[in-house]
Amino acid sequence: MTLQQLKYILAVVDCGSISEAAKQLYLSQPSLSNAVKEIEEEFGIEIFLRSSKGIALTNEGIEFLSYARQVVEQAEMMEQRYLNKKPSKKLCSISTQHYAFAVQAFVALVKELNENEYECTLRETRTHEIIEDVRNLRSEIGILYLCDFNRKVLAKLLRDNDLGFYPLFAARPHVFMSVHHPLAEKEILEMENLDEYPCLVFEQGEYNSFYFSEELLSTRSYRKKILVSDRATLFNLLVGLNGYTISSGVLNQDLYGGLIRPVRLRTDEEMIIGYIRNQKTVLSHLAQQYVAKLKEIIAGAGYPLLGEESDNGDPHP
């Protein structure tokens, strides 16, 4: 085993594929594949599962990666101390459901970075992909919500993948709509008030189960429904079609120029929004700073922060 081989493994994980990592490392794909295979044979483990869809870390691979990161980081610290090498880029990767406060925290984090070089990634993506990203360590943190309806299914999926859920805050559902919407001046809305307007939801691809929906009341039948894949499109449709979507009430108006308004929805449902992380690893300093920014923004919006997860790794009820 060499330090360079460990760096190759980290590059493959960060890039999500051997072909992309080979490009960034200026190696041929066969050379990189052979380097990975040599490590696997030396340690008698399988680090990656290979399929037509790409690669994924095995459980052994996840554990191996946590050690590899520590070795590489310690080696870099020695090189900086004794060889005066400049620090490597600071890395941080986040996957999240489509929340404005998650973007706001990311902006605050990057603005305060006192680093010469960094490479940060923010993925707004589907619920199942968030879980896969954190399981495979493509992202250190994933942001999603639990409710009475999806809790058992998602909690089991998280447990099965050694992922912990850390609650941040509890949110009563709000309807996001244009400030020019005919119902925008209401203090509280009934679902029946919205029947004649299109409901906008984020599509979940092949995992388009009600349990993976980003919106509460996913099993309800809607007369008009539009599926979208990104937040910019959704907000354009909120304005252009008098559509609406159901989410938390935390909205950074600076990001939307005051064009969107949250209105309370009358329902007994509650969203417990939090972050997930892989239990086999320790969060990087940047990831810890990002969590701190999330908490600052949530508290600043007037939401009490919730406690950490329970001892057995299950989310708080």
Side-chain angles (χ1 to χ4, degrees), residues 215-279:
E215 300 79 23
L216 284 174
L217 308 175
S218 58
T219 58
R220 188 178 188 272
S221 178
Y222 294 90
R223 285 168 47 192
K224 302 176 182 179
K225 186 175 181 179
I226 299 175
L227 278 70
V228 299
S229 59
D230 66 87
R231 189 154 49 89
T233 299
L234 181 138
F235 277 85
N236 283 332
L237 295 178
L238 290 185
V239 175
L241 294 179
N242 276 337
Y244 70 94
T245 191
I246 301 171
S247 188
S248 73
V250 186
L251 181 67
N252 178 15
Q253 291 292 358
D254 291 340
L255 292 176
Y256 304 108
L259 295 176
I260 305 300
R261 179 168 189 252
V263 181
R264 269 288 308 275
L265 180 65
R266 193 187 303 279
T267 176
D268 293 330
E269 297 281 350
E270 184 178 61
M271 306 169 70
I272 304 299
I273 300 176
Y275 68 92
I276 62 173
R277 69 174 181 85
N278 198 305
Q279 299 288 67

Side-chain angles (χ1 to χ4, degrees), residues 180-198:
H180 303 298
H181 193 286
L183 302 177
E185 297 306 315
K186 296 279 189 180
E187 291 298 319
I188 192 165
L189 289 169
E190 311 284 347
M191 280 305 305
E192 292 73 19
N193 300 145
L194 299 161
D195 281 344
E196 65 179 281
Y197 303 102

